[in-house]
Amino acid sequence: MRPPTAVLVKLLVLPSMNLLVGIRRSAAIEVCRMLVVDKVRDGDFEVMNDVSRIAGYGPGELPENPRELAGRLLSCVYMGTVNSSRETRERARLLCEQVGAYHLSLSIDSVVEAVVGLFTMAVSGGRRPAFKAHGGTTAENLALQNIQARLRMVLAFLLAQLLPWVRGVPQGGGAGWLLVLGSANVDECLRGYLTKYDCSSADINPIGSISKKDLRSFLQWAATNLGYPVLAEVEAAPPTAELEPLVEGQQPQLDEVDMGMTYAELSLYGRLRKVARAGPVAMYNACSDMWRGRCLSPQAIATKVCRPEDRVVNRHVRGRRTAV
């Protein structure tokens, strides 16, 4: 049987789908990379062969430290728009700098404008869709968010094919292609909070079976124990897709507001459903006992418990996924 670390030695491209989540995901990959280097140092022959073949090392060459291996294996691309914040862009840059990964920072506004402009010219007779903040309808608002997310995935696969060519990565032995990683955690899958043909279309989703609560705990630990202080900033930042424009005097877009529930609540629902095998009634009874001090009415608790089962939250925006 192949050692688990050998399976981790793949060339990876990290598209910035949900931007903060993307950063959190790359932190988890960083631990995998450190495990691979440890195996190389221990003389694990199979892992050494995989590293040499996939990362393009020549005869007798092997990575001397995790940062060197990250520079060959991880290509991180921040794909921002006018709706992206400077803080998120800077956190992405700092994390790549600290782990040693190859990093690009792109603006995809021109690509988004080209697609929306084509729709306006060829389909809507000159009527241009607008964000809700600018007077648009819910349908317009969601469509304009979705096109940003989906174009990131299209560009991510283009980069996955051509970044090795740009960087001069050796083409032999499978080293000339990259894998695209998704970023939806198990709580978002439970809620259906993801864009079809964005995160749901990646090659691999390393955090697809991990709850947001556990991911945040891991980031807190990694910031201290792995020597990547920027992870503390990432963990403390409120999760946001950053797909809607910022309007002065209005609350910025937040994932928990969009979902109608907190990640802590979603994590609880997941444990009740998957671990305790509870149905809606059993979940209602359990939540009623745990939330006695929250001053929630029975109707409010029932609404919260049943909301993850609501599958009509715009089928084009959020698809239903099974996390294993």
mmCIF file of all heavy atoms in Angstrom, residues 277-298:
data_model
loop_
_atom_site.group_PDB
_atom_site.id
_atom_site.type_symbol
_atom_site.label_atom_id
_atom_site.label_comp_id
_atom_site.label_asym_id
_atom_site.label_seq_id
_atom_site.Cartn_x
_atom_site.Cartn_y
_atom_site.Cartn_z
ATOM 1 N N ARG A 277 -27.252 10.698 13.937
ATOM 2 C CA ARG A 277 -28.290 10.153 13.047
ATOM 3 C C ARG A 277 -29.664 10.724 13.374
ATOM 4 O O ARG A 277 -30.683 10.014 13.327
ATOM 5 C CB ARG A 277 -28.324 8.624 13.133
ATOM 6 C CG ARG A 277 -27.029 7.934 12.818
ATOM 7 C CD ARG A 277 -26.642 8.091 11.368
ATOM 8 N NE ARG A 277 -25.424 7.368 11.026
ATOM 9 C CZ ARG A 277 -24.850 7.380 9.835
ATOM 10 N NH1 ARG A 277 -25.416 8.080 8.858
ATOM 11 N NH2 ARG A 277 -23.748 6.710 9.590
ATOM 12 N N ALA A 278 -29.705 11.999 13.706
ATOM 13 C CA ALA A 278 -30.966 12.618 14.107
ATOM 14 C C ALA A 278 -31.725 13.143 12.893
ATOM 15 O O ALA A 278 -31.132 13.698 11.963
ATOM 16 C CB ALA A 278 -30.695 13.760 15.086
ATOM 17 N N GLY A 279 -33.045 12.979 12.926
ATOM 18 C CA GLY A 279 -33.908 13.570 11.925
ATOM 19 C C GLY A 279 -34.364 14.950 12.383
ATOM 20 O O GLY A 279 -33.930 15.450 13.426
ATOM 21 N N PRO A 280 -35.260 15.594 11.629
ATOM 22 C CA PRO A 280 -35.691 16.949 11.979
ATOM 23 C C PRO A 280 -36.269 17.070 13.385
ATOM 24 O O PRO A 280 -35.976 18.034 14.103
ATOM 25 C CB PRO A 280 -36.739 17.269 10.907
ATOM 26 C CG PRO A 280 -36.354 16.418 9.740
ATOM 27 C CD PRO A 280 -35.817 15.158 10.333
ATOM 28 N N VAL A 281 -37.103 16.098 13.806
ATOM 29 C CA VAL A 281 -37.728 16.192 15.130
ATOM 30 C C VAL A 281 -36.679 16.035 16.225
ATOM 31 O O VAL A 281 -36.653 16.806 17.201
ATOM 32 C CB VAL A 281 -38.838 15.133 15.281
ATOM 33 C CG1 VAL A 281 -39.393 15.150 16.710
ATOM 34 C CG2 VAL A 281 -39.958 15.377 14.279
ATOM 35 N N ALA A 282 -35.808 15.043 16.084
ATOM 36 C CA ALA A 282 -34.760 14.837 17.087
ATOM 37 C C ALA A 282 -33.807 16.029 17.125
ATOM 38 O O ALA A 282 -33.335 16.426 18.202
ATOM 39 C CB ALA A 282 -33.988 13.559 16.775
ATOM 40 N N MET A 283 -33.513 16.621 15.962
ATOM 41 C CA MET A 283 -32.656 17.807 15.935
ATOM 42 C C MET A 283 -33.334 18.970 16.643
ATOM 43 O O MET A 283 -32.690 19.722 17.387
ATOM 44 C CB MET A 283 -32.332 18.184 14.483
ATOM 45 C CG MET A 283 -31.373 17.232 13.795
ATOM 46 S SD MET A 283 -31.113 17.651 12.048
ATOM 47 C CE MET A 283 -30.373 19.285 12.178
ATOM 48 N N TYR A 284 -34.638 19.133 16.418
ATOM 49 C CA TYR A 284 -35.380 20.213 17.078
ATOM 50 C C TYR A 284 -35.327 20.045 18.597
ATOM 51 O O TYR A 284 -35.072 21.003 19.336
ATOM 52 C CB TYR A 284 -36.828 20.225 16.592
ATOM 53 C CG TYR A 284 -37.703 21.166 17.383
ATOM 54 C CD1 TYR A 284 -37.745 22.520 17.077
ATOM 55 C CD2 TYR A 284 -38.472 20.692 18.455
ATOM 56 C CE1 TYR A 284 -38.537 23.390 17.816
ATOM 57 C CE2 TYR A 284 -39.262 21.560 19.192
ATOM 58 C CZ TYR A 284 -39.289 22.900 18.879
ATOM 59 O OH TYR A 284 -40.059 23.751 19.617
ATOM 60 N N ASN A 285 -35.554 18.828 19.071
ATOM 61 C CA ASN A 285 -35.543 18.588 20.517
ATOM 62 C C ASN A 285 -34.158 18.843 21.106
ATOM 63 O O ASN A 285 -34.027 19.449 22.174
ATOM 64 C CB ASN A 285 -35.984 17.150 20.813
ATOM 65 C CG ASN A 285 -37.454 16.914 20.499
ATOM 66 O OD1 ASN A 285 -38.264 17.846 20.559
ATOM 67 N ND2 ASN A 285 -37.800 15.684 20.168
ATOM 68 N N ALA A 286 -33.097 18.399 20.390
ATOM 69 C CA ALA A 286 -31.734 18.593 20.888
ATOM 70 C C ALA A 286 -31.369 20.071 20.925
ATOM 71 O O ALA A 286 -30.787 20.562 21.900
ATOM 72 C CB ALA A 286 -30.746 17.814 20.020
ATOM 73 N N CYS A 287 -31.720 20.800 19.860
ATOM 74 C CA CYS A 287 -31.392 22.231 19.807
ATOM 75 C C CYS A 287 -32.197 23.017 20.841
ATOM 76 O O CYS A 287 -31.700 23.983 21.421
ATOM 77 C CB CYS A 287 -31.653 22.778 18.406
ATOM 78 S SG CYS A 287 -30.482 22.172 17.160
ATOM 79 N N SER A 288 -33.444 22.615 21.080
ATOM 80 C CA SER A 288 -34.256 23.291 22.090
ATOM 81 C C SER A 288 -33.602 23.186 23.461
ATOM 82 O O SER A 288 -33.592 24.155 24.237
ATOM 83 C CB SER A 288 -35.664 22.683 22.131
ATOM 84 O OG SER A 288 -36.348 22.898 20.919
ATOM 85 N N ASP A 289 -33.053 22.013 23.772
ATOM 86 C CA ASP A 289 -32.383 21.840 25.064
ATOM 87 C C ASP A 289 -31.096 22.658 25.133
ATOM 88 O O ASP A 289 -30.803 23.292 26.152
ATOM 89 C CB ASP A 289 -32.055 20.356 25.282
ATOM 90 C CG ASP A 289 -33.296 19.519 25.529
ATOM 91 O OD1 ASP A 289 -34.323 20.100 25.956
ATOM 92 O OD2 ASP A 289 -33.254 18.292 25.294
ATOM 93 N N MET A 290 -30.305 22.659 24.033
ATOM 94 C CA MET A 290 -29.012 23.352 24.054
ATOM 95 C C MET A 290 -29.157 24.868 23.987
ATOM 96 O O MET A 290 -28.273 25.601 24.405
ATOM 97 C CB MET A 290 -28.146 22.853 22.892
ATOM 98 C CG MET A 290 -27.591 21.449 23.097
ATOM 99 S SD MET A 290 -26.478 20.928 21.773
ATOM 100 C CE MET A 290 -27.658 20.471 20.514
ATOM 101 N N TRP A 291 -30.261 25.353 23.446
ATOM 102 C CA TRP A 291 -30.427 26.797 23.233
ATOM 103 C C TRP A 291 -31.404 27.419 24.226
ATOM 104 O O TRP A 291 -32.006 28.471 23.944
ATOM 105 C CB TRP A 291 -30.927 27.056 21.817
ATOM 106 C CG TRP A 291 -29.923 26.696 20.755
ATOM 107 C CD1 TRP A 291 -28.586 26.472 20.915
ATOM 108 C CD2 TRP A 291 -30.182 26.532 19.362
ATOM 109 N NE1 TRP A 291 -27.989 26.161 19.719
ATOM 110 C CE2 TRP A 291 -28.956 26.202 18.740
ATOM 111 C CE3 TRP A 291 -31.326 26.625 18.571
ATOM 112 C CZ2 TRP A 291 -28.837 25.968 17.361
ATOM 113 C CZ3 TRP A 291 -31.224 26.390 17.204
ATOM 114 C CH2 TRP A 291 -29.977 26.069 16.613
ATOM 115 N N ARG A 292 -31.530 26.846 25.390
ATOM 116 C CA ARG A 292 -32.495 27.365 26.362
ATOM 117 C C ARG A 292 -32.215 28.823 26.716
ATOM 118 O O ARG A 292 -33.137 29.598 26.962
ATOM 119 C CB ARG A 292 -32.457 26.514 27.629
ATOM 120 C CG ARG A 292 -33.083 25.141 27.472
ATOM 121 C CD ARG A 292 -33.108 24.386 28.785
ATOM 122 N NE ARG A 292 -33.630 23.037 28.626
ATOM 123 C CZ ARG A 292 -34.921 22.723 28.642
ATOM 124 N NH1 ARG A 292 -35.815 23.688 28.809
ATOM 125 N NH2 ARG A 292 -35.323 21.477 28.490
ATOM 126 N N GLY A 293 -30.954 29.210 26.773
ATOM 127 C CA GLY A 293 -30.613 30.560 27.175
ATOM 128 C C GLY A 293 -30.605 31.577 26.051
ATOM 129 O O GLY A 293 -30.248 32.751 26.271
ATOM 130 N N ARG A 294 -30.989 31.204 24.847
ATOM 131 C CA ARG A 294 -30.921 32.114 23.703
ATOM 132 C C ARG A 294 -32.217 32.867 23.436
ATOM 133 O O ARG A 294 -32.306 33.657 22.505
ATOM 134 C CB ARG A 294 -30.515 31.339 22.446
ATOM 135 C CG ARG A 294 -29.096 30.799 22.504
ATOM 136 C CD ARG A 294 -28.698 30.097 21.228
ATOM 137 N NE ARG A 294 -28.770 30.952 20.058
ATOM 138 C CZ ARG A 294 -28.413 30.565 18.823
ATOM 139 N NH1 ARG A 294 -27.954 29.328 18.635
ATOM 140 N NH2 ARG A 294 -28.523 31.399 17.813
ATOM 141 N N CYS A 295 -33.225 32.605 24.235
ATOM 142 C CA CYS A 295 -34.507 33.317 24.090
ATOM 143 C C CYS A 295 -35.093 33.170 22.686
ATOM 144 O O CYS A 295 -35.600 34.137 22.091
ATOM 145 C CB CYS A 295 -34.346 34.800 24.429
ATOM 146 S SG CYS A 295 -33.800 35.101 26.128
ATOM 147 N N LEU A 296 -34.997 31.982 22.125
ATOM 148 C CA LEU A 296 -35.566 31.711 20.806
ATOM 149 C C LEU A 296 -36.924 31.046 20.964
ATOM 150 O O LEU A 296 -37.106 30.157 21.794
ATOM 151 C CB LEU A 296 -34.644 30.794 19.999
ATOM 152 C CG LEU A 296 -33.294 31.366 19.566
ATOM 153 C CD1 LEU A 296 -32.433 30.277 18.927
ATOM 154 C CD2 LEU A 296 -33.498 32.509 18.583
ATOM 155 N N SER A 297 -37.873 31.474 20.160
ATOM 156 C CA SER A 297 -39.197 30.858 20.194
ATOM 157 C C SER A 297 -39.139 29.481 19.546
ATOM 158 O O SER A 297 -38.225 29.186 18.768
ATOM 159 C CB SER A 297 -40.196 31.739 19.440
ATOM 160 O OG SER A 297 -39.890 31.743 18.042
ATOM 161 N N PRO A 298 -40.091 28.594 19.858
ATOM 162 C CA PRO A 298 -40.131 27.283 19.192
ATOM 163 C C PRO A 298 -40.148 27.399 17.664
ATOM 164 O O PRO A 298 -39.508 26.604 16.967
ATOM 165 C CB PRO A 298 -41.418 26.660 19.734
ATOM 166 C CG PRO A 298 -41.610 27.304 21.065
ATOM 167 C CD PRO A 298 -41.127 28.715 20.888
#
